[in-house]
Every structure is written in structure tokens, then in C-alpha cells.
Amino acid sequence: MARILFEPIGEEIDCAEDETILDASFRQGYSLVHGCRAGQCSACKCYLLEGEVSLKTYSTFALSESESEQGYTLLCRAMPDDDDITVELLHFDPDNYKAEHEIQDGRAVVESVRDLTHDISEVVLRVLEPAGFAFAPGHFVDLHVPGSDERRSFSMANLPGDGRLELIVKRYPGGRISGLLDGGALAAGDELGFTGPYGTFRLRENDRPMLMIAGGSGMAPQLALLRQIADEGIERPVRFFYGARTRDDLFLLDELAALSVRISDLRFVPVLSEEEWDGEQGFVHDAVARYLDGGELGEDVEAYLCGPPPMVEAATEMLVDGRGIDAAQVHFDKFTTSVAVGDQEATT
């Protein structure tokens, strides 16, 4: 059993030789910054100060060869080779690195499935066990792929408390979960196993204006935060920019309009990249930059980004490098694509 020391927070955990450092941290009640947990998004990138690790398969998009040679590693892929390892966390929340809810295995039954667009579906699950399964707005769960040991991650769009998990799933041909939706192989009444909750994406308690940016199924955790803001009567300016290709790729517009009534200063701004219309056009991060140029929201904002890694990376660069916004005020959930043989799936 290896000893893992996390700096600069000064916390230690034990890690078995057959588990990743990130999985070991989950097991011992920590929720360090992470994303896909498959070595594709770079959210858990850190620096190895002491000791050696072996890395499970990962994408060079998340960790380049030069970064690996310099001592950087990925918590979700790193398995200990030495008894004593010291890791410098590059991204962490000093006040919220302990897990709020215990990660548990559970069972759920599909309550409903409906198409939201030509390639995005809503899947609502009713939790059978454990009783009282709890999560926070912004969290996600792993769904167990039927008949295999594989899992796929999906964020909840609903608030906790009613025993349901409302998921927004982007469908891919051959996807291990999403592919079941196209052929009707996953339908109301079917049971699924799940594990969770996971995630560090959550609403920060301060008075800064909120800047939300999303694309694709990244709508889910943003919708959860908006519902939380509405339910708790939080009064902060909120600007939600959503990137899509065409008008046919927009969804839940009635829900967002209803939230705009309940939230005192919410504005939803769809941005289309492949269709001309009277609204915002181009890449969503460019539309946000144009909006910030107007000065209405100011520069001291709290930013929440959810969607494909290129979108998140571009928006982060625009905000931090281009606008000088403190990186600690930029929170993200990267929705990567899991790829196996003949398999592609959007995962948080």
C-alpha cells in the first residue's frame, strides 16, 4: 500500500497498487478536481514531486509527451510504483476538497426516455437503491453498461430530493449507453446499475455575477445550477451562453424561459455556429467575448463552463489570459468522448 501526499493541502491517503490515485482518493472521502476519469480531459493533471507512477492508457491531448517527461501526470491514470509519492495539485478548491456525499453503487429503473433534438435525449431514472441517494447540483453518476464492466458518466440536470436522476444524453452511433436509445433497446421499465455521485462542479457562494457557457449535453449541470438558484431565491446577475450548430440543436427553451421568470436577472443567449439568424452567431466563446466588451457584467465574474474540451479550453483562455479573470473563478466540467473499438460516447 503506497502513501500519497497531496500538496499544498497537506492531506495523505493510502493507495493500493492496483488502483489509481484518483480512485483511492474517492475511496477515502476526497473529491479532488477531476473530469472524465479516462485520461482524456486533463482536469486532474498534477505534478509529481516525489516517487514514480505507472500510467494507464490516456490521450496525449490530456498529457503531452513533453509534459510527462517534465513530471506531470494524471491522477485518474496514475498507479503507484513507489511506497511514498508526493503530488502537487495544480487545480484545487482549498475549502471543498472533501467529498460532500458518499460514493455508492446503486440500481435505478428507467422512468422515461424522450428525444430533445435529433441527437440529444432526456433519460429519467428512478432510484431503487440505495434509499435516500443524495447528490449536489452539478454532480454526475456513472451508468453501468449492461452486460459489461464498462461505465459511462452523465450529469444530473435535476435537483436532489425526489429519488430521480434526470440525465441529458448526447447520442452517438454505437455508443455503449447512448446507442441503446436509438434502437429503443433502453426503454421505460429497464433497470440500470450506477455509481456516484462524482464531481466538483457546483455553485459557489458569493455575490459575483455568473457567466455560464455550455454546449451539447453540457446543458445538464448548468440547468441543475439554474434550478438551484431559482429554488433558493439567489439574486445574482446570470448570463447563460449556449453554443449550438443550428436552431434545431436548441432544446428545453420553454424550461429556460420559465427559469428566466423565476430568476430575477437571468438572460439566456443561444449562439449558432452553422446557421444564419437574427441572434448571436459564431463560436460561443467569441460571443461571450463580444458581450464582455460591452461592460454590462464587468470583469469580476464567476464563470461556469460545461461542454466539449475544445470549447472549455477556448473559453478558459479567453477569460483567464484574455480578460485577466482569476483562474480560481473559472469552474468547468469537460464532456469528453469515450472511445473504444467501434464505440463513441459523450461523458462528463
Side-chain angles (χ1 to χ4, degrees), residues 34-74:
H34 61 279
C36 67
R37 306 188 338 278
Q40 297 186 58
C41 77
S42 80
C44 67
K45 186 183 297 180
C46 59
Y47 190 76
L48 201 59
L49 293 174
E50 180 181 339
E52 298 292 333
V53 299
S54 296
L55 290 175
K56 298 170 68 175
T57 304
Y58 64 93
S59 167
T60 52
F61 172 85
L63 183 71
S64 68
E65 184 176 344
S66 63
E67 286 176 323
S68 180
E69 291 173 352
Q70 293 172 51
Y72 291 94
T73 192
L74 301 172

Side-chain angles (χ1 to χ4, degrees), residues 114 116 122 157-159 166 168 219 223-224 226-228 230-231 251-263 266 268:
R114 64 168 176 146
L116 299 176
E122 175 194 77
N158 62 307
L159 297 178
E166 181 182 321
I168 294 176
M219 171 71 78
L223 188 56
L226 289 174
R227 288 168 166 168
Q228 179 184 4
D231 272 24
F251 59 96
L252 296 179
L253 299 181
D254 290 343
E255 168 79 11
L256 290 162
L259 284 167
S260 296
V261 174
R262 297 178 60 199
I263 298 173
L266 166 63
F268 174 66

Side-chain angles (χ1 to χ4, degrees), residues 2 4 15-22 48 50-58 63 68 72-82 85:
I4 313 295
C15 183
E17 62 180 14
D18 61 348
E19 68 179 338
T20 67
I21 294 175
L22 186 64
L48 201 59
E50 180 181 339
E52 298 292 333
V53 299
S54 296
L55 290 175
K56 298 170 68 175
T57 304
Y58 64 93
L63 183 71
S68 180
Y72 291 94
T73 192
L74 301 172
L75 293 180
C76 71
R77 302 280 92 185
M79 304 173 69
D81 288 336
D82 292 336
I85 292 173

